[in-house]
Amino acid sequence: MPRILDPDTRRSLIERVRYYHELGIYDFYRRGPAPGQVEASSIQPEARGQMTPRKTMAPRPPIEENMFEVIATRAELKVSDPVEALGIIREDLGDCTRCVLHKQGRKQIVFGVGNPGAELMFVGEGPGADEDEQGEPFVGRAGQLLNNMIKAMGLRREDVYIANVVKCRPPGNRTPEREECETCSPFLMRQIGAIKPKIIVALGAVSAKTLLAMNASMAQLRGRFYDFKPTGVRSNDPDWSGCKLAVTYHPAFLLRDPRQKGEAWKDLQMVMRELGLSVPSR
Ligand code: SF4
């Protein structure tokens, strides 16, 4: 069974590997213990002089595969055209079976849609039934509301890029599990690295918590910008080392509780000001 790392350990490990990358070291090999090999810590102090092993180290389970997959040097880093870079990432994703969502009724992978050179990117949670049917994020009722939100900002849907944390529909529109988010999100991180937006708007708690690796309530997460750098992704553009990230409510939540639309509008106005868009006085 793959070993799932807790977020802090995972982040530390990714930072350490990124540091090695900055030093120009890209290839890493994990070596299991040789038969009969012992760890120094497993030898009793009094026995160290004789080097008598107390017990043999158990074989370590493999670290989850896609941690190193996302950190490894990527072909998309060699291209400057975001369309081409996104094409490479989509090709890598392939007919993905990396998490259980591939066998829970998905019709197709919903990769993302919009302007590959967008300054503004929206990231939702996962595809619903309509998105699964059409292969495009945010096309159902929640998508209509997102379109209206984008229009209210003075933009068109085709001006922005829209993607989700998980790219396959969770059965019954359930919330994606943490493990599913962690397995799929490296591809989202790579999409962000290819698009290089100025601002990301995380739609809802799943998106915000996955992108920020923070466990906090929506009330705590909203109302400010975060400095965001996609985890494990090295940019080929010296002018882009990350972007700002804001959190607002998921449109599906706003459909259920329209009283929160005013709060979401405040979040979008904050984003508009940062993008230099004119904000209506009321
Ligand atoms: Fe692969 Fe993501 Fe779909 Fe899971 S949700 S099967 S990781 S594309």
Side-chain angles (χ1 to χ4, degrees):
M1 286 288 292
R3 178 157 38 129
I4 303 302
L5 299 174
D6 66 81
D8 287 344
T9 307
R10 181 184 169 86
R11 190 196 291 270
S12 306
L13 187 52
I14 286 170
E15 287 305 317
R16 173 56 63 97
V17 176
R18 183 179 288 142
Y19 167 70
Y20 284 128
H21 277 187
E22 283 165 2
L23 295 177
I25 301 165
Y26 296 105
D27 294 323
F28 299 89
Y29 301 94
R30 296 190 71 249
R31 190 174 53 198
Q37 183 183 346
V38 287
E39 255 181 343
S41 59
S42 70
I43 302 169
Q44 288 298 292
E46 67 276 14
R48 279 193 183 138
Q50 304 152 24
M51 290 305 288
T52 307
R54 183 177 174 84
K55 63 180 180 185
T56 303
M57 191 173 76
R60 294 176 193 167
I63 289 179
E64 51 190 316
E65 281 174 18
N66 64 303
M67 169 175 292
F68 286 102
E69 184 178 31
V70 71
I71 293 169
T73 306
R74 285 287 161 198
E76 75 255 23
L77 294 178
K78 300 188 181 102
V79 300
S80 54
D81 179 4
V83 177
E84 208 180 325
L86 288 172
I88 291 168
I89 298 163
R90 180 64 188 89
E91 206 171 300
D92 277 357
L93 190 58
D95 190 20
C96 183
T97 58
R98 290 170 178 83
C99 85
V100 294
L101 291 180
H102 84 278
K103 56 181 178 186
Q104 296 193 346
R106 80 166 181 213
K107 288 194 174 139
Q108 55 188 314
I109 289 171
V110 180
F111 184 66
V113 71
N115 178 0
E119 290 193 340
L120 178 60
M121 184 166 173
F122 289 92
V123 176
E125 180 178 306
D130 295 317
E131 291 75 18
D132 184 46
E133 193 70 47
Q134 297 184 40
E136 185 174 323
F138 286 95
V139 291
R141 282 184 66 225
Q144 290 306 313
L145 180 52
L146 179 62
N147 291 348
N148 290 341
M149 290 160 71
I150 294 168
K151 198 169 165 194
M153 297 175 79
L155 298 169
R156 300 165 307 163
R157 182 175 164 100
E158 52 269 36
D159 292 328
V160 304
Y161 195 89
I162 307 170
N164 282 310
V165 172
V166 295
K167 308 209 178 303
C168 300
R169 181 192 179 198
N173 291 347
R174 67 159 168 78
T175 303
E177 302 284 348
R178 191 179 117 181
E179 194 175 331
E180 294 156 1
C181 293
E182 289 188 355
T183 305
C184 201
S185 61
F187 290 94
L188 172 65
M189 299 294 179
R190 288 173 63 189
Q191 285 174 291
I192 294 168
I195 295 162
K196 304 181 185 72
K198 273 191 184 166
I199 299 182
I200 294 171
V201 176
L203 298 167
V206 169
S207 170
K209 290 178 187 178
T210 303
L211 289 167
L212 295 171
M214 282 172 67
N215 199 7
S217 68
M218 284 296 284
Q220 291 166 321
L221 290 166
R222 288 181 49 245
R224 54 164 288 200
F225 281 113
Y226 299 82
D227 290 326
F228 177 77
K229 190 173 179 183
T231 308
V233 173
R234 201 162 50 111
S235 173
N236 59 355
D237 181 350
D239 294 332
W240 193 89
S241 58
C243 61
K244 290 192 182 302
L245 186 147
V247 177
T248 193
Y249 293 114
H250 193 288
F253 171 78
L254 295 174
L255 288 172
R256 290 195 300 275
D257 186 358
R259 291 168 304 171
Q260 301 303 326
K261 283 184 180 176
E263 290 300 300
W265 180 230
K266 284 185 201 164
D267 299 331
L268 296 183
Q269 286 177 313
M270 182 179 84
V271 171
M272 289 164 71
R273 278 190 283 273
E274 190 66 24
L275 286 172
L277 300 171
S278 67
V279 178
S281 52
R282 49 161 297 173

